[in-house]
């Protein structure tokens, strides 16, 4: 087609394929796979046309109708190809093995290219593959055809946005100037880079001069009706998806359509098993079948995701084939499973919980803190979506339990963008339940978010004050102390150091009285920060040394996992304070130890400040090379957490003077 666009890397793959030197006795076969609508046939035809000069004995195309109810029989396919190659009917053997043998002998001696489009299975393709010789074969299939050996594989994915926009521009032709590139780019984005979708939308625009790309993009933005717009004449993208869907076994169909209720963009086999109400082994089989037909995309981390348009098709199938009651029950089951799993995972890091004594056999297996953390991270869009839905239908206790379980875990993922929503939902749930103490608790967590990830001290001060009022009214001494602690953080950030020291001292005293060592450590460290910023460096150093003793002593009473996680931060606090006091050698050694451990953590403000301080101290010691490397790393961390000003500052100091 004249408007064929992009696929430069894939076309280079074809060129390498046809010019490859095969192993002795081995055929050269290219297998092109991809989901419905990914442009496999168009790509294969384009490649065949481009290669025609390389194959003077002919280029032949055969549609195997692999997605139809009656794919072409191998016997008939061999007959059609050999007929095209000039073999008379009376010369063809009357059995499939004989025809296959003759076919291979013909291909061995001729420079021909055979394109076998839309293959159904390995069994259909194998007799049509060449033996050694000059002939080449390209096969396209929605299925992966994993059983084929010795073939070279190419997976066609969606087009990049720039290529998709270029294709759409080519299809609509002269009117593209009037529509504008931004509107066409938005349409290409809504098509998800799928060539068939782009062609349908392009044809609709080209055939309706009165339409504008902006108006069509606005219509496509409505997810509920988006699929309805992907039709032009006899082209309808839902039909392409439906052909793949109808190839599935009934259990895989059920899993496919029910996966549409998953809140996030990807998911694992455990969630698929919950969705399909099936054992995990059967869920794996269904997922394999869906990947094999291109209805799901998989990754190396055992995660699966829909193309956006395929997800809409799955949702359509769910609404067509299952009753409203069944759909509601499914959504509630998935929501409950996600929230209970997230709560269990979060509690791994809570001092009062840790390892579950009696794990729920129906939840995802989380036998270690590391696996619990990984589950929370990779499934964040799913369990956060479940929180939103549960909140919308009034399941306040489940929402509150989930938010509460994230208290200490959130400290391991400081700059994640979702904590504000998590603890806002938690606060709203507590308010709906009329639980003043829990409301205060969630507001204190929210104040933490406003103080570190969001860095909004004025808002933090107001939130901590609201939490203090609720904690006082409910006689929650623990939350009164946390409110004082977060008030101190806000006051320090606002430059009110004297008031900050007073508030931090109140928090430290209460936690000490309560015997809550984990909380006492947090308040003690905060007091050190307040004293340091007030210029009372010797007193701050005492607080940081005491904090380091707590996290380094197995008998201190701190929760071991919390102590291990916070020790490098304490070293960083101590090192920065030593630097302020002029103890450069000890400060450099302490900060070097701290940043080495923090390299395995997520990028965060504490790591960035430690690196910047270390870089400055190294420069003062005349170690320019080490200093520049530390500044460069600090610049990277500041960039990762979104502090552009600090990134520019450190990047400039990392660059040698000309």
């Amino acid at each position: 087609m004249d408007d064929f666009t992009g696929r430069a890397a894939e076309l280079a793959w074809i060129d390498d394929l046809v010019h490859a030197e095969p192993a002795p006795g081995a055929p050269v076969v290219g297998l092109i796979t991809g989901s419905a609508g990914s442009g496999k046939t168009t790509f294969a035809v384009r490649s065949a046309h481009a290669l025609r000069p390389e194959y003077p004995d002919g280029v032949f195309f055969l549609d195997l109708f692999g997605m139809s109810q009656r794919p072409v029989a191998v016997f008939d396919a061999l007959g059609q190809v050999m007929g095209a190659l000039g073999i008379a009917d009376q010369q063809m053997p009357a059995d499939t093995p004989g025809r296959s043998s003759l076919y291979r002998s013909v291909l061995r001696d001729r420079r021909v290219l055979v394109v076998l489009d839309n293959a159904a299975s390995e069994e259909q393709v194998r007799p049509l593959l060449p033996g050694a010789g000059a002939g080449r074969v390209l096969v396209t299939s929605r299925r992966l055809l994993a059983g084929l050996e010795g073939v070279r594989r190419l997976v066609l994915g969606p087009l990049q946005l720039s290529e998709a926009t270029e294709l759409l521009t080519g299809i609509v032709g002269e009117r593209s100037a009037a529509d504008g590139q931004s509107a066409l780019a938005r349409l290409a984005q809504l098509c998800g880079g799928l060539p068939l979708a782009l062609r349908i939308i392009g044809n609709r625009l080209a055939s309706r001069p009165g339409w504008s790309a902006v108006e069509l993009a606005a219509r496509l933005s409505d997810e509920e009706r988006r699929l309805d717009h992907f039709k032009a004449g006899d082209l309808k993208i839902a039909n392409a998806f439906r052909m793949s869907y109808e190839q599935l076994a009934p259990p895989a169909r059920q899993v496919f359509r029910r996966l549409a209720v998953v809140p996030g963009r990807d998911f694992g086999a455990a969630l698929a098993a919950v969705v399909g109400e099936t054992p995990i082994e059967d869920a794996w089989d269904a997922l394999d079948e869906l990947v094999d037909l291109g209805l799901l995309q998989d990754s190396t981390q055992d995660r699966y995701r829909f193309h956006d348009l395929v997800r809409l098709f799955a949702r359509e199938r769910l609404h067509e084939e299952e009753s409203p009651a069944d759909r509601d029950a499914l959504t509630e089951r998935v929501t409950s499973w996600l929230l209970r799993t997230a709560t269990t995972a979060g509690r791994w890091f809570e001092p009062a919980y840790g390892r579950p004594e009696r794990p729920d056999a129906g939840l995802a297996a989380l036998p270690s803190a590391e696996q619990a953390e990984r589950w929370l991270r990779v499934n964040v869009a799913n369990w956060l979506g479940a929180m939103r839905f549960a909140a919308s239908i009034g399941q306040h206790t489940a929402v509150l339990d989930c938010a509460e379980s994230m208290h200490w875990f959130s400290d391991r993922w400081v700059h994640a963008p979702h904590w504000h929503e998590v603890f806002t939902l938690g606060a709203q749930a507590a308010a709906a339940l009329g639980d003043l103490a829990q409301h205060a608790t969630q507001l204190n967590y929210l104040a933490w978010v406003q103080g570190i990830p969001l860095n909004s001290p004025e808002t933090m001060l107001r939130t901590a004050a609201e939490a203090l009022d609720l904690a006082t009214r409910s006689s929650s001494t623990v939350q009164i102390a946390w409110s004082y602690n977060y008030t101190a953080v806000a006051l320090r950030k606002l430059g009110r150091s004297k008031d900050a020291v007073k508030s931090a001292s109140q928090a430290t005293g209460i936690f000490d009285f309560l015997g809550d060592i984990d909380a006492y450590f947090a308040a003690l460290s905060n007091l050190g920060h307040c004293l340091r910023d007030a210029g009372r460096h010797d007193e701050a150093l005492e607080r940081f040394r005491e904090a380091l003793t707590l996290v380094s002593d197995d008998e201190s009473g701190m929760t071991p996992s919390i102590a291990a996680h916070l020790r490098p931060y304490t070293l960083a606090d101590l090192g920065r304070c030593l630097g302020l006091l002029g103890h450069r050698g000890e400060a450099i050694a302490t900060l070097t130890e701290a940043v080495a451990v923090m390299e395995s953590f997520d990028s965060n403000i504490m790591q960035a400040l430690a690196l910047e301080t270390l870089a400055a101290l190294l420069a003062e010691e005349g170690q320019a090379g080490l200093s520049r490397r530390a500044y460069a790393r600090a610049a990277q961390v500041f960039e990762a957490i979104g502090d552009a000003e600090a990134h520019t500052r450190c990047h400039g100091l990392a660059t040698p003077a000309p």
Side-chain angles (χ1 to χ4, degrees):
M1 294 181 177
D2 292 339
D3 52 27
F4 182 89
T5 300
R7 302 294 195 197
E10 292 85 349
L11 289 169
W13 180 88
I14 290 288
D15 189 64
D16 290 342
L17 175 79
V18 299
H19 293 103
E21 282 295 330
V28 177
V29 178
L31 173 60
I32 303 165
T33 60
S35 65
S38 59
K40 298 179 295 298
T41 299
T42 300
F43 176 75
V45 170
R46 173 63 177 237
S47 299
H49 279 297
L51 293 170
R52 187 177 293 276
E54 303 270 353
Y55 295 97
D57 295 326
V59 174
F60 305 96
F61 179 92
L62 176 62
D63 188 346
L64 296 175
F65 291 95
M67 288 295 106
S68 71
Q69 295 298 315
R70 298 184 63 183
V72 176
V74 175
F75 182 86
D76 296 332
L78 286 164
Q80 291 180 48
V81 176
M82 286 196 290
L85 288 166
I87 308 299
D89 290 346
Q90 57 270 30
Q91 294 178 287
M92 296 184 198
D95 62 301
T96 298
R99 287 192 171 194
S100 181
S101 177
L102 177 59
Y103 163 77
R104 286 175 176 148
S105 68
V106 172
L107 260 60
R108 182 176 61 245
D109 300 325
R110 300 190 195 181
R111 287 193 59 79
V112 299
L113 175 65
V114 179
V115 178
L116 303 173
D117 187 48
N118 195 10
S121 65
E122 293 90 340
E123 291 78 6
Q124 186 189 37
V125 169
R126 278 197 188 97
L128 291 158
L129 299 183
R136 298 288 189 264
V137 169
L138 289 179
V139 182
T140 76
S141 179
R142 293 189 191 183
R143 295 186 179 274
L144 296 177
L145 303 185
L148 291 184
E149 298 178 354
V151 300
R152 307 185 189 198
R153 298 175 178 274
L154 174 67
V155 178
L156 282 190
L159 293 170
Q160 297 294 322
L161 181 58
S162 59
E163 293 181 339
T165 306
E166 184 181 349
L167 174 58
L168 189 58
T169 302
I171 295 169
V172 301
E174 295 179 355
R175 62 165 291 165
S176 63
D179 286 316
Q181 282 299 294
S182 61
L184 291 175
R186 175 56 179 156
L187 277 176
Q189 184 180 42
L190 289 165
C191 291
L194 211 57
L196 177 59
L198 291 160
R199 189 158 300 284
I200 290 171
I201 291 302
N203 288 350
R204 295 195 78 185
L205 278 177
S207 62
R208 291 170 173 80
W211 285 17
S212 76
V214 172
E215 291 170 348
L216 184 54
R219 295 180 191 178
L220 290 179
S221 296
D222 179 4
E223 272 198 358
E224 295 300 321
R225 299 196 60 195
R226 187 177 301 167
L227 273 187
D228 294 339
H229 293 287
F230 284 97
K231 55 186 177 183
D234 61 351
L235 285 178
K236 188 174 182 182
I237 200 162
N239 290 341
F241 298 151
R242 186 174 289 106
M243 290 178 72
S244 294
Y245 180 71
E246 290 173 352
Q247 298 288 317
L248 298 171
R253 289 190 192 183
Q254 177 171 283
V255 169
F256 171 78
R257 61 179 179 263
R258 290 185 172 189
L259 282 169
V261 306
V262 173
R265 290 183 60 84
D266 64 3
F267 44 85
L271 184 51
V274 173
V275 164
E277 296 183 275
T278 187
I280 188 73
E281 295 80 7
D282 293 343
W284 281 116
D285 290 341
L287 291 168
D288 284 345
E289 192 174 348
L290 292 169
V291 169
D292 186 51
L293 272 165
L295 289 169
L296 284 182
Q297 302 163 20
D298 63 349
S299 71
T300 56
Q301 297 183 325
D302 294 331
R303 305 291 294 174
Y304 300 83
R305 65 184 296 270
F306 285 114
H307 184 281
D308 289 345
L309 297 180
V310 177
R311 182 190 181 104
L312 294 178
F313 174 73
R315 183 187 300 174
E316 178 186 276
R317 291 296 88 215
L318 181 68
H319 280 259
E320 287 289 329
E321 298 182 34
E322 306 214 16
S323 69
D326 287 343
R327 296 198 302 269
D328 290 344
L330 170 65
T331 303
E332 290 190 22
R333 183 171 68 253
V334 170
T335 299
S336 173
W337 186 88
L338 285 168
L339 287 182
R340 288 184 293 119
T341 303
T343 302
T344 301
R347 284 174 175 170
W348 260 101
F349 308 95
E350 292 292 302
Y353 290 93
R355 179 189 293 274
E357 290 185 8
R358 292 184 297 276
D360 188 332
L363 301 182
L366 303 171
S368 68
E370 292 75 20
Q371 286 171 286
E373 180 166 0
R374 181 181 182 278
W375 189 94
L376 286 169
R377 286 174 179 264
V378 301
N379 286 284
V380 60
N382 289 323
W383 60 260
L384 183 56
M387 283 189 77
R388 293 188 194 112
F389 179 76
S392 73
I393 61 173
Q395 293 182 353
H396 304 305
T397 300
V399 172
L400 182 57
D401 285 347
C402 189
E404 175 62 27
S405 75
M406 299 298 160
H407 175 209
W408 286 102
F409 173 70
S410 62
D411 206 43
R412 306 173 77 90
W413 198 5
V414 174
H415 291 278
H418 52 269
W419 294 127
H420 184 270
E421 183 176 5
V422 168
F423 297 129
T424 296
L425 289 170
Q428 292 170 347
L433 292 168
D435 190 329
L436 297 184
Q438 271 296 336
H439 194 180
T441 301
Q442 298 301 311
L443 286 176
N444 275 325
Y445 299 161
L446 192 55
W448 169 82
V449 176
Q450 294 160 348
I452 298 183
L454 297 183
N455 197 22
S456 178
E458 297 89 351
T459 307
M460 182 185 193
L461 191 62
R462 291 194 296 271
T463 302
E466 185 181 353
L468 179 60
D469 175 62
L470 290 167
T472 302
R473 286 162 55 194
S474 61
S475 302
S476 176
T477 307
V478 171
Q479 294 310 315
I480 289 172
W482 278 116
S483 299
Y484 282 137
N485 187 65
Y486 293 125
T487 297
V489 174
L491 291 169
R492 177 173 63 83
K493 287 176 176 285
L494 291 168
R496 296 167 57 182
S497 299
K498 184 177 180 180
D499 292 337
V501 169
K502 179 181 178 182
S503 190
S505 297
Q506 289 175 292
T508 305
I510 295 173
F511 284 133
D512 188 24
F513 172 77
L514 293 173
D516 187 336
I517 304 302
D518 293 323
Y520 174 71
F521 166 86
L524 184 67
S525 297
N526 188 31
L527 177 57
H529 295 153
C530 296
L531 290 166
R532 181 197 62 210
D533 287 5
R536 296 158 63 177
H537 298 154
D538 287 318
E539 293 175 76
L541 187 65
E542 291 178 20
R543 303 290 86 74
F544 291 138
R545 289 197 187 280
E546 182 184 349
L548 183 61
T549 299
L550 287 175
V551 294
S552 303
D553 182 4
D554 293 340
E555 304 299 323
S556 69
M558 283 192 71
T559 301
S561 61
I562 293 174
H565 180 71
L566 295 178
R567 187 174 186 277
Y569 297 134
T570 309
L571 285 168
D573 290 336
L574 181 61
R576 292 176 67 202
C577 198
L578 286 166
L580 290 170
L581 288 165
H583 306 312
R584 284 203 297 265
E586 188 180 357
I588 288 172
T590 304
L591 286 166
T592 299
E593 181 183 355
V595 298
V597 178
M598 285 191 279
E599 279 299 313
S600 63
F601 294 178
D602 283 322
S603 297
N604 58 69
I605 186 63
M606 292 81 84
Q607 179 189 15
L609 292 173
L611 283 161
E612 186 175 18
T613 303
L614 175 60
L617 291 169
L618 288 167
E620 291 173 12
E621 287 288 289
Q623 300 184 53
L626 291 175
S627 174
R628 284 196 294 270
R629 284 199 286 273
Y631 273 126
R633 180 64 184 133
Q636 291 175 340
V637 177
F638 276 124
E639 183 178 32
I641 63 177
D643 192 331
E645 181 182 347
H647 163 73
T648 301
R649 178 179 68 242
C650 290
H651 181 71
L653 291 167
T655 305

